């Protein structure tokens, strides 16, 4: 304004005549020239800052760069950007941090792809030598039917292929299901209610959802229309219902004959507690209440039975509706009872005031019972493990832990945060004292489960381990890895040294990584995967079980379990994936790793 006035008024002539005025004009012109020459370009350059890896003294990435250039002299100075809020600033810093650690992201992406390649290798062996059979015998290159002859590997592997984006496998598996499965259901003989529900029914329902059956999610455009999976699932479920309706109590019979949809108890007349209580996620997901009502009668009945600090015996009679015996354990025949107490409640929206709150209360009571009665530490190095009470509370404690028990760390962590990250749950003040106790126990048990792998010569865990405690030890039964810190803590008997390529440990590593965000769980998972690749991969296709994990080379068993594709490789893939892939607060995994969507609140 002053300059304009000087040029357009008599002030101009008056100032120029005055020597003082001349000096001031020169001073002003010199000052303006200095400002223009000293001006730097303050436009942020994110790409330059990241590419150069520059940072300021506070450890944040430098965003400012550039210098004086002749063409910039006459530019208008840029407007300053608005001041960032603290949340926006954190987001920016985090995004730059991610770019700065791009090699870490790429490392896990590459490892994820390695798991996908392993899945395709396993599938290729099955497709080439056993298509339509339940399981592959990879060494003799043939198929076998050990689960009723419904092509269990195909259905178990389908949603894994969908999640991995293995489109060719999705197309092959889906086409087989559309062409053959309904016919097989109507003609086959005896199947186990539990195994058929978790593997085949669960696999069909998960594939239905993930392929867009409810128009909320569609991870693939390959294979048949989603309704094919749902219709086949209902055909199967209608037949399986006979196990419930044929029983004189709320406890279903264990076996179903598919060709006439009849049911009968096991030869000893008993059902496994875990088997009768591990059907509800699948039957609840079917829209018709005739399915969920029959399945939920089991849980309502179990609620009324006497327990030992929430813990239950592993056998129950469908004739009397009462528990049989006093054997309490979280391994075979007991494990998924505790898992489904939590997951069925989560599936229905985890409401604290809902009709299924009793399930969560039963879960909480049981976990207190686990901590009080079953948790011990080994000697000399204090590994935390979960033992058994073969004769009930009044009998002796057994320091025996099945690999199956390694589902528990993941379940404990999921029960503590309900699928949220630990950080978010703590930030929102959602964790109780019991939640924190359970989360600590989960991390301790996960370490023990991992050490069951690293203590052996092959790096793979045995089916069963015993732990050295004050009143129990055996010499000469270690895992073979003499360099392990825990070689004297873990005892592996000769009859228990086999590996079935089980998923429970990597399942818990996946859940714990999602919840704690601790990268050690990914590293442990990668070590286990490398051991699978080194010792169980069959060149012609597929992976084989082992007879003895404590010696190298290990003796092999000629079988690839369906859950290696349906669970083990799926959990490893998700362990290395982004947390947004099948998020834990939107899905619950059935006990065969088939993701079922959580019911949303209305």
């Amino acid at each position: 304004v002053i300059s304009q006035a000087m040029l357009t008024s008599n002030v101009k002539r008056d100032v120029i005549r005055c020597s003082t005025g001349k000096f001031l004009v020169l001073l002003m012109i010199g000052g303006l020239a200095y400002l223009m020459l000293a001006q730097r370009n303050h436009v942020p350059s994110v790409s330059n800052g990241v590419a150069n890896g520059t940072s300021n003294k506070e450890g944040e990435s430098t965003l400012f760069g550039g210098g004086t250039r002749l063409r910039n002299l006459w530019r208008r100075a840029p407007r300053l950007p608005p001041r960032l809020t603290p949340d926006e600033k954190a987001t920016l810093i985090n995004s730059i941090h991610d770019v700065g650690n791009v090699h870490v992201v790429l490392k896990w992406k590459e490892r994820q792809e390695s798991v996908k390649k392993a899945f395709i290798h396993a599938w290729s062996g099955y497709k080439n030598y056993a298509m339509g059979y339940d399981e592959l015998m990879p060494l003799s290159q043939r198929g076998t039917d050990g689960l009723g002859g419904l092509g269990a590997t195909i259905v178990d592997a389908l949603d894994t292929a969908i999640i991995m984006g293995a489109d060719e496998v999705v197309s092959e598996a889906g086409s087989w299901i559309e062409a053959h499965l309904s016919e097989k259901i109507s003609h086959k003989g005896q199947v186990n209610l539990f195994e058929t529900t978790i593997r085949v029914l669960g696999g069909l329902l998960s594939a239905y959802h993930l392929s867009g059956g409810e128009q909320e999610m569609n991870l693939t455009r390959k294979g048949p229309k989603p309704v094919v999976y749902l219709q086949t699932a209902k055909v199967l479920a209608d037949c399986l219902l006979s196990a419930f309706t044929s029983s004189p109590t709320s406890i279903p019979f264990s076996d179903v004959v598919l060709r006439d949809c009849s049911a009968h108890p096991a030869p000893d007349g008993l059902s496994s507690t875990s088997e009768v209580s591990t059907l509800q996620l699948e039957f609840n997901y079917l829209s018709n209440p005739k399915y969920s009502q029959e399945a939920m009668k089991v849980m309502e009945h179990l609620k009324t039975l006497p327990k030992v600090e929430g813990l239950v015996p592993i056998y129950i009679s469908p004739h009397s509706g009462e528990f049989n015996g006093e054997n309490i354990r979280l391994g075979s025949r007991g494990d998924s009872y505790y898992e489904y107490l939590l997951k069925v409640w989560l599936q229905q929206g985890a409401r604290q005031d809902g009709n299924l709150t009793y399930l969560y209360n039963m879960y909480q009571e049981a976990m207190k019972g686990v901590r009080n009665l079953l948790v011990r530490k080994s000697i000399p190095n204090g590994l935390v493990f979960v033992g058994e009470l073969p004769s009930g509370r009044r009998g002796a404690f057994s320091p025996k832990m099945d690999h199956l028990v390694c589902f528990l760390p993941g379940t404990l962590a999921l029960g503590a945060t309900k699928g949220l990250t630990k950080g978010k749950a703590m930030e929102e003040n959602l964790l109780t004292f019991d939640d924190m106790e359970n989360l600590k126990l989960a991390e301790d048990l996960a370490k023990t489960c991992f050490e069951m792998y690293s203590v052996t010569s092959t790096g793979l865990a045995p089916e069963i381990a015993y732990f050295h405690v004050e009143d129990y030890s055996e010499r000469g039964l270690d895992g073979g890895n003499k360099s392990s810190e825990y070689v004297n803590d873990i005892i592996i008997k000769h009859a228990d040294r086999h590996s079935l390529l089980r998923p429970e440990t990597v399942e818990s590593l996946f859940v714990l990584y999602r919840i704690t965000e601790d990268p050690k769980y990914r590293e442990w998972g990668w070590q286990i995967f490398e051991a699978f690749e080194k010792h169980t991969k069959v060149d012609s296709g597929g992976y084989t079980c082992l007879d003895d994990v404590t010696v190298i080379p290990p003796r092999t068993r000629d079988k690839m379990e369906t859950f290696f594709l349906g669970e083990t490789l799926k959990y490893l893939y998700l362990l290395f994936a982004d947390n947004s892939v099948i998020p834990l607060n939107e899905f619950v995994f059935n006990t065969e790793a088939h993701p079922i969507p959580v019911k949303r609140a209305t």
Side-chain angles (χ1 to χ4, degrees), residues 263-561:
H264 56 82
D268 60 3
L270 300 176
S271 295
S272 297
T273 302
S274 63
E275 292 189 0
V276 303
S277 57
T278 310
L279 312 164
Q280 289 69 27
L281 286 179
E282 298 82 359
F283 279 85
N284 283 347
Y285 184 60
L286 290 163
S287 56
N288 193 319
K290 72 178 181 180
Y291 304 111
S292 60
Q293 286 173 2
E294 290 295 337
M296 290 308 297
K297 283 180 184 177
V298 179
M299 308 305 272
E300 291 161 6
H301 178 74
L302 291 172
K303 177 180 65 172
T304 67
L305 299 181
K307 304 172 183 66
V308 179
E309 295 192 29
L311 306 178
V312 296
I314 61 173
Y315 289 106
I316 191 167
S317 169
H319 300 287
S320 67
E322 301 294 328
F323 289 122
N324 187 276
E326 297 183 272
N327 192 342
I328 292 173
R329 67 184 184 215
L330 270 71
S332 61
R333 303 185 183 275
D335 48 3
S336 50
Y337 162 78
Y338 304 96
E339 179 186 359
Y340 269 44
L341 290 178
L342 173 67
K343 289 185 175 180
V344 174
W345 177 72
L346 290 174
Q347 179 193 30
Q348 299 304 310
R351 292 179 56 187
Q352 298 286 355
D353 58 348
N355 295 331
L356 300 183
T357 305
Y358 74 91
L359 292 174
Y360 184 59
N361 293 338
M362 290 167 68
Y363 165 78
Q364 288 183 306
E365 182 186 8
M367 292 307 100
K368 289 180 182 178
V370 169
R371 296 200 307 263
N372 292 340
L373 300 177
L374 300 182
V375 172
R376 297 284 193 279
K377 285 187 176 182
S378 69
I379 55 176
N381 293 300
L383 284 176
V384 175
F385 69 95
V386 173
E388 300 179 357
L389 295 174
S391 301
R393 185 175 202 166
R394 293 184 295 272
F397 174 84
S398 171
K400 168 179 172 283
M401 180 168 153
D402 293 359
H403 186 280
L404 289 167
V405 179
C406 289
F407 86 94
L408 187 59
T411 298
L412 285 166
L414 184 63
T417 72
K418 320 303 183 287
L420 301 176
T421 64
K422 179 182 177 181
K424 185 172 181 60
M426 293 183 70
E427 180 183 323
E428 298 183 8
N429 200 28
L430 299 177
L431 299 182
T432 66
F433 176 78
D434 280 340
D435 291 333
M436 295 300 293
E437 287 279 294
N438 287 339
L439 197 52
K440 176 65 167 59
L441 178 58
E443 296 205 63
D444 289 343
L445 288 174
K447 175 173 176 56
T448 299
C449 289
F450 173 68
E451 295 302 340
M452 287 168 61
Y453 282 77
S454 61
V455 79
T456 71
S457 299
T458 59
L460 293 172
E463 181 71 359
I464 298 170
Y466 288 77
F467 289 84
H468 181 191
V469 291
E470 286 186 5
D471 53 357
Y472 175 78
S473 66
E474 291 193 47
R475 293 183 178 275
L477 295 177
D478 60 64
N481 180 10
K482 303 299 184 182
S483 64
S484 170
E485 178 184 352
Y486 301 98
V487 68
N488 295 318
D489 291 68
I490 298 175
I491 298 163
I492 306 174
K493 297 185 177 182
H494 290 288
D496 305 328
R497 296 185 170 192
H498 52 289
S499 168
L500 302 182
L501 316 182
R502 286 201 181 274
E504 288 78 20
T505 294
V506 293
E507 171 189 359
S508 286
L509 297 182
F510 155 65
V511 176
L512 276 164
Y513 173 71
R514 286 283 180 95
I515 286 174
T516 68
E517 301 178 293
D518 189 333
K520 74 182 179 186
Y521 297 115
R522 277 181 156 182
E523 296 292 351
W524 290 354
W526 179 248
Q527 289 183 45
I528 292 171
F529 174 73
E530 285 189 307
F532 281 133
E533 286 288 288
K534 183 175 182 180
H535 297 293
T536 72
K537 190 173 186 177
V538 178
D539 290 340
S540 59
Y543 291 75
T544 184
C545 299
L546 302 180
D547 252 338
D548 190 343
V549 297
T550 68
V551 296
I552 293 178
R555 296 187 299 274
T556 57
R557 288 189 177 185
D558 191 12
K559 190 176 183 182
M560 182 175 74
E561 298 278 356

